[in-house]
């Protein structure tokens, strides 16, 4: 009798009911971040409310398409893992500068298209760098990703950055209530409900928020039922050298961040990312960025908050995140639905975000537990990398006196920490040891399991 090979959890297709619930959960986890980039850039350029709404719907549409490319994949595009795509925050400052110094949106989109093509071409090069990401580096990077996201959840819990009632006790109380619901559902509910603990917490939090006046559904009434993004809506792209250089720097940063996210998801799902699959994932990033420049939106990258959701729920199917991509496409084509999702108050997202982002950090610690910290310099590598990665998170203005290209790289705690971890791992674990170098000592891990060293 012929037997069929077991299906890897990444490739499993859950029932339709579960697909919809799990997918919506991923959308809610990333929605606030997804719409923040067009809001910031459009606001800085003083665009009209109609143009801002157009940017948001275009962004949601391409977010969905980019997610589908990454999860489903075709030919050599897409890592085929549960990865959610969204606009990168690394590009915000350069795009604001390009848009407000005379180039406008056409110059932004021209530089975005060039950056996307560059990512496609550089993807195989980054794929070959995977050997420089042993558990010491990957665990450190995943830890930094989680720690870097926690302030985002904190801002949401307090009411959202810039809110008039930021830090009000009622906001923090609502966030704490949502967090308690998420934890209670995860601990005591049946298996299916425990896997949608975040969605359940957000739904219960929204139900509580409505009678207490946390939500405003006015935007839902004003939104159109149908909105279709057309290529080059704001004019043909222009290609200015200074703008292109700035965006190429952003491309290198986003490739570094995406590499960390893809490796993190590979760790969480049990499907290790190989050089070829890493290149495919980065190539999908590049294609999505080109589409962003064509369809009036911005560069795309993997979203770390959804990495945390995968780790927390232990739902590893890429088809779940592909369903989330389909939901985003609908939100981009039906602005009224997008406005309804946008009505979820920030404190509700903050309560859920705390546990999701904390899960990412904890996953990094789990990876580091496989590293040998006895009679070597690995502890120094982790310590310095985390310190460098957390510096711009704790002191956002620390690099304000530096050139723009340096700020673009180092203001992202993820890219700064990742580059530091790679460099220090090479220095301490790959270069020949010199006489007189005395490594620090630490208590070696105990137990029967094999401890992995840092070197690949």
């Amino acid at each position: 009798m012929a037997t069929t090979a077991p299906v890897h959890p990444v490739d499993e297709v859950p029932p339709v009911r579960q697909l919809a619930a799990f997918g919506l959960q991923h959308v809610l986890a990333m929605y606030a971040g997804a719409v923040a980039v067009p809001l910031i850039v459009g606001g800085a350029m003083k665009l009209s409310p109609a143009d801002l709404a157009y940017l948001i719907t275009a962004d949601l549409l391409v977010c969905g398409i980019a997610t589908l490319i990454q999860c489903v994949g075709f030919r050599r595009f897409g890592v085929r893992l549960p990865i959610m795509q969204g606009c990168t925050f690394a590009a915000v400052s350069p795009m604001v500068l390009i848009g407000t110094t005379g180039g406008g949106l056409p110059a932004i989109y021209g530089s975005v298209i060039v950056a996307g093509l560059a990512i496609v071409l550089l993807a195989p090069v980054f794929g070959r760098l995977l050997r420089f990401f042993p558990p010491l580096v990957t665990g450190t990077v995943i830890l930094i990703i989680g720690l870097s996201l926690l302030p985002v959840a904190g801002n949401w819990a307090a009411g959202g950055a810039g809110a008039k009632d930021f830090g009000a006790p009622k906001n923090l109380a609502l966030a704490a209530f949502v967090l308690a619901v998420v934890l209670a559902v995860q601990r005591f509910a049946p298996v299916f409900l425990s896997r949608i603990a975040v969605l359940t917490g957000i739904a219960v939090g929204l139900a509580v928020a409505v009678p207490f006046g946390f939500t405003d559904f006015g935007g839902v009434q004003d939104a159109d039922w149908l909105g279709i993004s057309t290529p080059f809506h704001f004019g043909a792209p222009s290609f200015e050298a200074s703008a292109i250089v700035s965006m190429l720097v952003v491309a290198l940063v986003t490739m570094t961040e995406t590499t960390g996210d893809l490796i993190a998801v590979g760790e969480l799902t049990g499907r290790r990312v190989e050089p070829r699959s890493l290149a495919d994932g980065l190539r999908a990033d590049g294609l999505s960025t080109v589409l962003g420049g064509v369809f009036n939106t911005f560069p795309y990258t993997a979203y770390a908050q959804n990495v945390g959701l995968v780790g927390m729920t232990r739902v590893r199917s890429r088809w779940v995140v592909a369903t989330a991509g389909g939901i985003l496409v609908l939100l981009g084509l039906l602005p009224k639905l997008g406005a309804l999702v946008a009505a979820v108050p920030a404190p509700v997202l903050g309560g859920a975000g705390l546990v999701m982002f904390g899960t990412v950090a904890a996953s990094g610690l789990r990876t580091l537990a496989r590293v040998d910290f006895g009679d070597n310099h690995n502890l120094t590598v982790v310590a310095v990398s985390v310190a460098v990665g957390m510096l711009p998170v704790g002191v956002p203005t620390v690099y304000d006196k530096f050139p723009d290209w340096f700020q673009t790289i180092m203001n992202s705690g993820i890219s700064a920490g990742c580059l530091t971890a790679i460099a220090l791992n090479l220095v301490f674990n790959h270069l020949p040891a010199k006489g007189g170098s005395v490594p620090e000592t630490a208590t070696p891990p105990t137990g029967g399991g094999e401890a992995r060293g840092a070197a690949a």
Side-chain angles (χ1 to χ4, degrees), residues 51-69:
D51 284 342
L52 273 177
Y54 192 94
L55 282 182
I56 291 172
T57 54
D59 174 36
L60 293 174
L61 176 64
V62 181
C63 273
I65 294 172
T67 299
L68 288 169
I69 293 173

Side-chain angles (χ1 to χ4, degrees), residues 140-311:
T140 302
V141 171
I142 296 168
L143 175 61
I144 292 171
I145 290 172
L147 294 177
S148 298
L149 287 171
L150 285 174
V152 176
N155 279 324
W156 287 346
K164 294 180 180 178
D165 60 347
F166 185 85
K170 66 175 185 177
N171 292 336
L172 294 171
L174 178 58
F177 170 73
V178 171
L179 175 60
V181 171
V182 171
L183 295 176
V185 171
Q186 190 173 20
R187 174 63 182 86
F188 300 109
V191 173
F192 172 69
L193 279 180
S194 69
R195 289 180 174 174
I196 56 169
V198 171
L199 178 60
T200 304
I202 290 174
V204 173
L206 183 60
V208 172
V210 170
F212 285 95
F214 281 90
T215 55
D216 179 14
F217 291 105
V220 179
Q221 297 177 347
D222 297 337
D224 296 329
W225 277 106
L226 183 64
I228 299 177
S229 299
T230 55
F232 308 124
H233 174 80
F234 295 98
S238 61
F239 300 92
E240 301 182 9
S242 59
I244 290 172
V245 170
S246 297
M247 207 56 63
L248 287 176
V249 174
V250 170
L252 293 175
V253 173
T254 57
M255 292 179 79
T256 304
E257 292 182 346
T258 296
T259 297
D261 290 330
L262 296 184
I263 291 172
V265 171
E267 293 274 350
L268 292 170
T269 59
R271 174 174 282 178
R272 185 177 177 181
V273 174
E274 302 293 340
R276 172 169 175 149
S277 56
L278 174 59
D280 291 347
L282 293 172
R283 200 177 282 110
D285 260 15
L287 175 59
S288 301
T289 298
V290 171
L291 291 176
V294 173
F295 286 95
N296 321 293
T297 180
F298 308 114
Y300 285 85
T301 188
Y303 260 27
Q305 49 262 56
N306 296 87
V307 175
L309 189 57
V310 171

Side-chain angles (χ1 to χ4, degrees), residues 62-78:
V62 181
C63 273
I65 294 172
T67 299
L68 288 169
I69 293 173
Q70 195 69 274
C71 295
V72 179
F74 67 95
R75 296 183 181 273
R76 294 298 303 278
F77 291 87

